[in-house]
Amino acid sequence: MLTNHIACLSAILATLIAAVPCRAEADLKLPHEKVTLVTPPFVHAHEQVAKSGPKVIEFKMTVVEKPIVIDEVGTTIPGMTYNGSIPGPLMVVHEGDYVEVTLVNPATNTMTHTIDFHAATGALGGAALMEVNPGEQAMLRWKATRAGVFLYHCAPGGSMTPLHVISGMSGAVMVLPREGLRDKTGKLLHYDRIYYIGENDFYVPRGDDGKFQSVTDASDYFPKTLELMRKLVPTHVVFEGKVGALTGKNALQAKVGETVLIVHSQANRDSRPHLIGGHGDYVWDTGKFHNPPEKDLETWFIRGGSAGAALYTFRQPGVYVYLNHMLVEAVELGALAHFKVEGQWNDDLMKQVSPPQPIVAVEGPGEKSH
Ligand SMILES: [Cu+2]
């Protein structure tokens, strides 16, 4: 009988202990570092190889609901953004660091938002703990236990999840190995520049005239875009939230000899990044840095709902096109960027031996000139 009681009390005690949230006190003693996020394609300053032990890295993001122009003819949607940009900013930490994010939903907004970090463990990637109504903020701390580039996105539940994502609410986190990026032999891979490209699909209703309707009121836009979204045919597939956001005068910059890390995310659809006239020297197309990078790729593959990373050292000057090599999506729908690269041309790698000119007549077999 007594044994039964003890067993019963132990069970109750165990249940109570399990119910009390377990808090790793050690992490609270770690140094804190506040990082100010920057607008993509740019990325906040960071160490590639960690110079010290784990830290708590503090980030603050504000949800901004605002009209967003998504193409060159001025088509506007009621956008939803992390920090005002599509995609949201790239957060960079090292494996073993703690990511401490404050998400602010100003009272001027009209919707509930949250954030699901694919890099985080538990509670729907944090989304279950970060649901903020207009006028609220919440803070989440999660341990970066896996190295790689990972998506984050809004996930308020039901159709609101894809709707918020196709309205702009996704971004990425990069968790670097503390010892930096390595090739499969363990050689350190360094980058001189980093760019973050977020690819988005939009589903914009058309008017009776066949032209895109600019709808800035979400309550009007949602039923229409929901209907289009369910047909899975996007009207726009873009980088950085807009057709032409990274082309022409907005081209990404680099120099011959520089190594560039390109982080690329897509929350919904698959993408096939390709650098015309260049390559992926080292590519983690699943985006996870403890898997050895593939070498010398022509086109790589970003699975919808993930991020990938490619490292390339530019060897020739000129304007390179970086696109989704589903060419219809690139050329017709917008998923295309430019790299403008300065430097010296290398004739050994490529030389125009003879410029275009009229075809030179060649004698066929059996023909003789007189
Ligand atoms: Cu949202």
Side-chain angles (χ1 to χ4, degrees):
M1 190 70 181
L2 186 64
T3 322
N4 275 354
H5 271 296
I6 290 169
C8 187
L9 280 171
S10 309
I12 291 168
L13 201 60
T15 313
L16 281 173
I17 290 167
V20 175
C22 178
R23 198 165 168 185
E25 291 297 328
D27 68 296
L28 299 176
K29 297 190 184 85
L30 296 175
H32 281 239
E33 186 183 329
K34 250 193 188 84
V35 172
T36 303
L37 292 164
V38 304
T39 304
F42 305 107
V43 179
H44 65 82
H46 57 272
E47 294 168 352
Q48 293 181 38
V49 177
K51 292 192 184 116
S52 60
K55 294 176 187 169
V56 179
I57 314 286
E58 299 174 19
F59 299 102
K60 187 176 181 183
M61 287 210 298
T62 301
V63 178
V64 182
E65 295 174 6
K66 63 174 183 183
I68 299 263
V69 176
I70 59 163
D71 62 20
E72 285 151 324
V73 294
T75 306
T76 308
I77 63 163
M80 293 181 229
T81 69
Y82 291 111
N83 261 20
S85 65
I86 302 177
L90 183 75
M91 302 173 181
V92 185
V93 303
H94 284 91
E95 198 176 357
D97 285 345
Y98 291 77
V99 177
E100 194 170 273
V101 183
T102 302
L103 187 65
V104 181
N105 190 1
T108 45
N109 284 346
T110 59
M111 278 169 274
T112 300
H113 300 282
T114 183
I115 190 161
D116 166 2
F117 287 100
H118 287 194
T121 307
L124 309 178
L129 307 174
M130 292 293 274
E131 230 174 68
V132 280
N133 295 311
E136 293 180 344
Q137 67 175 57
M139 189 196 278
L140 179 74
R141 189 175 62 233
W142 54 270
K143 190 172 186 178
T145 56
R146 295 163 200 272
V149 282
F150 295 83
L151 192 77
Y152 65 76
H153 63 91
C154 195
S159 292
M160 280 296 139
T161 297
L163 277 170
H164 283 220
V165 168
I166 63 157
S167 301
M169 295 193 81
S170 68
V173 175
M174 180 163 78
V175 181
L176 287 165
R178 301 204 80 77
E179 66 280 11
L181 299 178
R182 303 275 161 171
D183 74 0
K184 70 172 183 187
T185 67
K187 190 186 89 177
L188 181 67
L189 298 171
H190 171 87
Y191 47 89
D192 302 302
R193 294 174 189 250
I194 174 172
Y195 291 118
Y196 168 42
I197 296 176
E199 185 176 326
N200 275 77
D201 41 327
F202 295 122
Y203 304 79
V204 181
R206 290 175 193 271
D208 294 336
D209 57 1
K211 290 186 176 158
F212 293 126
Q213 278 183 305
S214 283
V215 188
T216 51
D217 175 3
S219 59
D220 191 19
Y221 180 77
F222 273 7
K224 291 175 179 167
T225 196
L226 182 67
E227 200 181 317
L228 292 169
M229 179 182 93
R230 286 176 174 157
K231 291 179 180 151
L232 304 177
V233 180
T235 55
H236 299 69
V237 178
V238 303
F239 296 159
E240 250 64 348
K242 187 186 175 192
V243 179
L246 301 175
T247 60
K249 65 176 173 40
N250 303 318
L252 303 162
Q253 307 285 320
K255 292 192 176 84
V256 169
E258 279 185 340
T259 300
V260 178
L261 184 69
I262 307 164
V263 176
H264 189 135
S265 68
Q266 219 313 2
N268 281 331
R269 293 163 59 84
D270 298 339
S271 184
R272 294 142 178 86
H274 173 84
L275 181 66
I276 302 179
H279 301 92
D281 286 335
Y282 296 92
V283 178
W284 298 264
D285 74 359
T286 58
K288 309 305 171 275
F289 296 136
H290 287 311
N291 302 309
E294 285 201 84
K295 286 197 72 180
D296 304 329
L297 296 196
E298 57 178 296
T299 298
W300 43 106
F301 188 68
I302 308 294
R303 292 138 193 83
S306 76
L311 199 68
Y312 183 60
T313 304
F314 283 96
R315 292 150 172 95
Q316 296 280 40
V319 175
Y320 291 71
V321 178
Y322 174 90
L323 46 64
N324 176 345
H325 211 294
M326 198 313 181
L327 294 168
V328 181
E329 295 185 33
V331 178
E332 301 300 321
L333 302 188
L336 184 152
H338 288 156
F339 275 92
K340 196 170 171 226
V341 180
E342 288 176 0
Q344 198 100 39
W345 183 263
N346 181 342
D347 277 340
D348 185 46
L349 285 172
M350 185 181 282
K351 184 178 167 71
Q352 188 179 42
V353 180
S354 165
Q357 58 183 292
I359 297 168
V360 180
V362 180
E363 286 177 13
E367 285 177 28
K368 271 204 167 148
S369 53
H370 297 284

